[in-house]
Amino acid sequence: MLLIKNSSLFAFILLLSGLFISCVDVPSNAPPPPVLNAEFRFISINPSSVTSPTQFKMAEATYNGAAGPFYTSYTTVALGANAAPTAFTIYNAGSKYLVYLTDTIKSINFETDEKATLVFARNNVLSTDTTKAKYSAYKLTLGYKFSPVSYRDTTIVRFVNLMTGGQDTIGVRRDSSSNPSIVGTAIAIGKSSAFVKIPTGKKINYFFTLPGTNDRVCKDSVQITGTSSKVKTVFIYDTYDTTSAVVNKAVNVKIKDLDEN
């Protein structure tokens, strides 16, 4: 009797299983893969002795699993005037090969969901210095996380030295060129300072000098007003002429203040 009952129960379970299985809708195609994008803008920050190009070329590093670059599928990207950023544009994520001016190809990775500014800078300190006569591609990734939370009510700013002409380092001073340096003794060419925090509503002037001196490397200063959760980069660029008279050394050096978010 028990065997008969168990057999009936087993048959009932099989019947229910068949009903449930018959109700499952199995798709004929796999779901589409997720879209993997990155959002980039571009800016040239060159000395006045270099003619900034109006465009550069970009090729995919890989295609259908094969290694590139694939010059037959070049994308031509328009550039603004020197020190003028383009608008942000969405690109497929992945490694790219870039050709700017006539320099050696640069490989840059566009990370998935990355939003960044790519800076082209012609860091030719001396025309005979082959290690610095090429441009550098400097990627500023946006999306700084204000941690701890108390930092959110500030602007954070960093300073990048792209000044050419033979003077390799600069100092950054606050409020006047005679105040002590605020970001260390020197920022080398092509390098960035640490971030400096500016409380919301506070206005601060920054001056740029030769390290350890009051001698200005730039005639201008930059004033930054603290704003909640703001990220900025200040570039010091163009030519500090070490061969000229003292009053003319800093005549061509310029400042570019760039919002990063």
Side-chain angles (χ1 to χ4, degrees), residues 115-254:
K115 186 174 185 180
T117 300
L118 196 64
V119 180
F120 297 112
R122 187 81 172 186
N123 290 335
N124 52 336
V125 177
L126 296 172
S127 61
T128 56
D129 187 345
T130 57
T131 64
K132 293 180 180 177
K134 303 293 185 181
Y135 77 88
S136 60
Y138 193 92
K139 185 166 71 170
L140 305 174
T141 301
L142 310 189
Y144 179 89
K145 291 181 171 55
F146 287 81
S147 180
V149 175
S150 59
Y151 288 176
R152 290 180 180 170
D153 201 26
T154 63
T155 286
I156 59 169
V157 58
R158 59 183 164 185
F159 304 92
V160 179
N161 178 13
L162 297 178
M163 190 178 69
T164 66
Q167 175 59 47
D168 277 356
T169 56
I170 62 169
V172 181
R173 296 172 180 269
R174 173 174 169 166
D175 294 328
S176 79
S177 60
S178 61
N179 276 2
S181 175
I182 64 162
V183 294
T185 57
I187 306 172
I189 188 168
K191 302 297 183 181
S192 170
S193 74
F195 277 110
V196 177
K197 296 185 291 293
I198 303 174
T200 295
K202 189 173 182 62
K203 295 181 179 180
I204 298 179
N205 292 314
Y206 292 99
F207 295 78
F208 308 98
T209 67
L210 297 180
T213 76
N214 298 337
D215 296 335
R216 300 271 289 272
V217 298
C218 181
K219 296 186 301 179
D220 299 323
S221 61
V222 61
Q223 184 180 87
I224 298 177
T225 302
T227 305
S228 182
S229 299
K230 175 65 70 177
V231 183
K232 299 176 81 69
T233 296
V234 175
F235 297 93
I236 301 89
Y237 71 103
D238 216 323
T239 306
Y240 182 85
D241 187 358
T242 55
T243 65
S244 70
V246 174
V247 293
N248 295 323
K249 288 180 183 292
V251 68
N252 290 324
V253 180
K254 301 177 180 66

Side-chain angles (χ1 to χ4, degrees), residues 27-43:
S28 57
N29 298 315
V35 177
L36 304 179
N37 287 332
E39 192 172 2
F40 270 69
R41 67 178 175 181
F42 308 94
I43 184 172

